[in-house]
């Protein structure tokens, strides 16, 4: 077993029986070799990751079928406490049978919930969650090695909640989309801040660079300004989030472009937004109009250029 495994009786009771069992008898601890890969007909992947918060480290072994990208076998070696061993053991088991891309979707909360004795009782005490959040990171290391790319290319922007792997942008989008007003509501929608709670506000188990309460206050302030000045685009279109871009485009479509097209029995709908390219689809009479790709398109594009002179409209 790893270091720092001695815990008091009261704390020990906060660990699920599944965690206790895997601390003492991990099922997937060990090494995989090139000989194993050859025997199983797959590619060996070996990845390492260390946690700066507690000094633990884990090494993940995969054997991947290169024809299907499925993980045939998975093992680990943990250089840390019993909690790290138990969570790494569960993580290794969860990888088996999944494709590499499917494995990258395994979150630290998935591992923690997998180790619960019952669905409503956490498997480890909150103060030890930091010892079991290496699963996602080491999986990304392994996936990046297998794909031959940098780990950063697989990261989903700035992570706010390590437990649930929720990004700042996901929190911002959720606040705007669902008009969230409290940190608890953010947790209900995104799962951020629902476990160790360090990311909710200052004073938790770990110090963070950014907290959910800060993001909430900033976004709510922006939303209030937008309500007071609905026609004042204080944010440059190029710097808007995807949700903001869609809302800004749809506002102009609904208030200016659609009424214009409706006079001739037509309409238009937003299909996609890619950077400064806006993809639209004609509806009604516009779908068969001979000038749809000419004067009508120019009028639409000219109107949408209020958002940015770099906008280009593409009719699908």
């Amino acid at each position: 077993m790893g270091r720092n495994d001695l815990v008091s009786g009261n704390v020990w009771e906060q660990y699920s029986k599944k965690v206790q069992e895997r601390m003492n008898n991990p099922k997937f601890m060990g090494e995989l070799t090139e000989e194993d890969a050859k025997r199983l007909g797959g590619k060996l992947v070996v990845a390492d990751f260390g946690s700066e918060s507690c000094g633990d480290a884990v090494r993940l072994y995969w054997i991947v079928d290169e024809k299907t990208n499925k993980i045939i076998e998975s093992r680990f070696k943990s250089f840390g406490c019993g909690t790290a061993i138990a969570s790494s053991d569960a993580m290794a088991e969860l990888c088996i049978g999944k494709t590499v891309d499917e494995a990258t979707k395994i979150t630290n909360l998935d591992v923690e919930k997998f180790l619960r004795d019952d669905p409503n009782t956490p498997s480890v005490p909150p103060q030890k969650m930091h010892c079991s959040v290496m699963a996602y990171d080491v999986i990304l290391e392994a996936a990046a090695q297998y794909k031959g790319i940098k780990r950063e290319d697989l990261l989903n922007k700035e992570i706010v909640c390590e437990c649930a792997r929720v990004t700042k942008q996901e929190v911002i989008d959720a606040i705007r989309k669902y008009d969230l007003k409290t940190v608890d509501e953010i947790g209900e929608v995104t799962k951020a801040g629902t476990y160790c709670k360090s990311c909710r506000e200052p004073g938790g188990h770990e110090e963070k660079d950014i907290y959910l309460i800060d993001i909430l206050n900033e976004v709510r302030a922006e939303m209030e300004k937008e309500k007071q000045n609905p026609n004042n685009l204080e944010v440059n279109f190029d710097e808007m989030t995807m949700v903001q871009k869609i809302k800004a485009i749809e506002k102009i479509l609904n208030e200016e472009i659609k009424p214009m097209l409706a006079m001739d029995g037509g309409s238009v709908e937003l299909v996609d937004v890619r950077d400064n390219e806006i993809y639209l689809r004609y509806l009604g009479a516009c779908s068969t109009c001979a000038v749809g790709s000419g004067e009508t398109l120019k009028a639409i594009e000219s109107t949408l250029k209020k958002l940015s002179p770099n906008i280009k409209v593409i009719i699908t």
Side-chain angles (χ1 to χ4, degrees):
M1 186 180 292
R3 52 184 169 77
N4 301 329
D5 294 300
L6 295 178
V7 293
S8 66
N10 289 337
V11 175
W12 185 252
E13 293 174 359
Q14 296 180 48
Y15 291 87
S16 71
K17 291 180 181 178
K18 290 180 181 178
V19 168
Q20 296 178 37
E21 174 62 27
R22 286 178 186 260
M23 283 182 176
N24 295 302
N25 299 294
K27 301 176 183 179
F28 295 89
M29 179 181 281
E31 297 183 2
L32 292 172
T33 65
E34 291 289 357
E35 288 73 19
D36 293 321
K38 184 176 181 180
R39 174 174 54 83
L40 294 172
K43 177 181 179 179
L44 176 66
V45 178
V46 183
D48 296 308
F49 183 80
S51 171
E52 296 180 3
S53 62
C54 62
D56 291 346
V58 63
R59 175 168 292 165
L60 177 61
Y61 298 86
W62 280 349
I63 294 178
V64 184
D65 183 343
E66 294 184 90
K67 294 181 181 178
T68 63
N69 295 320
K70 278 195 173 182
I71 301 164
I72 305 170
E73 192 57 272
S74 179
R75 291 288 186 273
F76 80 97
K77 290 182 72 175
S78 179
F79 308 90
C81 66
T83 305
I85 290 174
S87 61
S88 297
D89 194 53
M91 174 268 297
E93 180 176 352
L94 288 171
C95 288
I96 298 174
K98 291 182 172 62
T99 65
V100 171
D101 286 339
E102 288 171 343
T104 62
K105 295 180 174 64
I106 297 173
T107 68
N108 298 310
L109 279 183
D110 290 331
V111 174
E112 186 276 320
K113 289 180 179 179
F114 182 73
L115 290 170
R116 293 184 179 186
D117 293 331
D118 70 80
N120 299 316
T121 305
S123 58
V124 298
Q127 64 268 27
K128 294 295 291 182
M129 187 63 182
H130 69 275
C131 298
S132 59
V133 297
M134 295 186 292
Y136 183 84
D137 293 287
V138 76
I139 286 173
L140 283 188
E141 287 285 351
Q145 285 192 31
Y146 178 72
K147 292 172 176 286
I149 61 178
K150 294 181 180 179
R151 177 176 177 272
E152 290 73 19
D153 295 336
L154 294 174
L155 287 173
N156 186 16
K157 303 180 182 178
E158 183 181 6
I159 298 294
V160 176
C161 177
E162 292 287 345
C163 299
R165 303 305 296 187
V166 179
T167 68
K168 178 180 179 180
Q169 191 59 57
E170 288 171 330
V171 173
I172 292 173
D173 290 346
I175 293 171
R176 287 185 167 276
K177 182 176 181 180
Y178 299 103
D179 193 26
L180 306 181
K181 297 180 176 64
T182 67
V183 172
D184 287 336
E185 289 177 344
I186 293 174
E188 291 174 5
V189 174
T190 69
K191 303 305 179 185
T194 58
Y195 195 78
C196 82
K197 298 181 171 58
S198 293
C199 63
R200 292 170 63 94
E201 58 188 15
H205 298 298
E206 297 178 31
E207 185 177 348
K208 301 289 184 179
D209 294 329
I210 187 169
Y211 296 92
L212 295 177
I213 188 64
D214 299 325
I215 300 172
L216 178 65
N217 289 338
E218 290 174 6
V219 176
R220 294 301 311 182
E222 290 175 2
M223 292 171 68
E224 189 59 34
K225 286 183 179 179
E226 291 166 6
K227 286 181 180 179
Q228 295 173 0
N229 303 287
N231 298 317
N232 184 12
L233 292 175
E234 297 181 4
V235 181
N236 185 285
F237 184 79
D238 297 333
E239 298 175 353
M240 287 182 180
T241 66
M242 181 57 69
V243 172
Q244 289 174 318
K245 285 184 177 181
I246 290 173
K247 287 186 176 180
I249 293 167
E250 289 185 333
K251 179 177 175 61
I252 292 179
L253 290 178
N254 293 332
E255 295 180 0
E256 301 183 50
I257 295 175
K258 287 184 179 180
M260 174 184 68
L261 299 177
M263 291 188 292
D264 294 317
S267 188
V268 69
E269 66 176 349
L270 179 63
V271 176
D272 197 5
V273 182
R274 302 175 191 173
D275 296 325
N276 287 314
E277 293 182 345
I278 299 175
Y279 291 77
L280 303 176
R281 180 184 295 118
Y282 283 140
L283 302 174
C286 289
S287 61
T288 57
C289 180
V291 297
S293 59
E295 294 303 319
T296 302
L297 177 58
K298 288 182 181 179
I300 292 173
E301 189 169 78
S302 176
T303 305
L304 286 169
K305 281 184 179 291
K306 293 179 180 180
L307 297 173
S308 169
N310 300 318
I311 279 178
K312 180 180 181 181
V313 175
I314 300 171
I315 303 298
T316 63

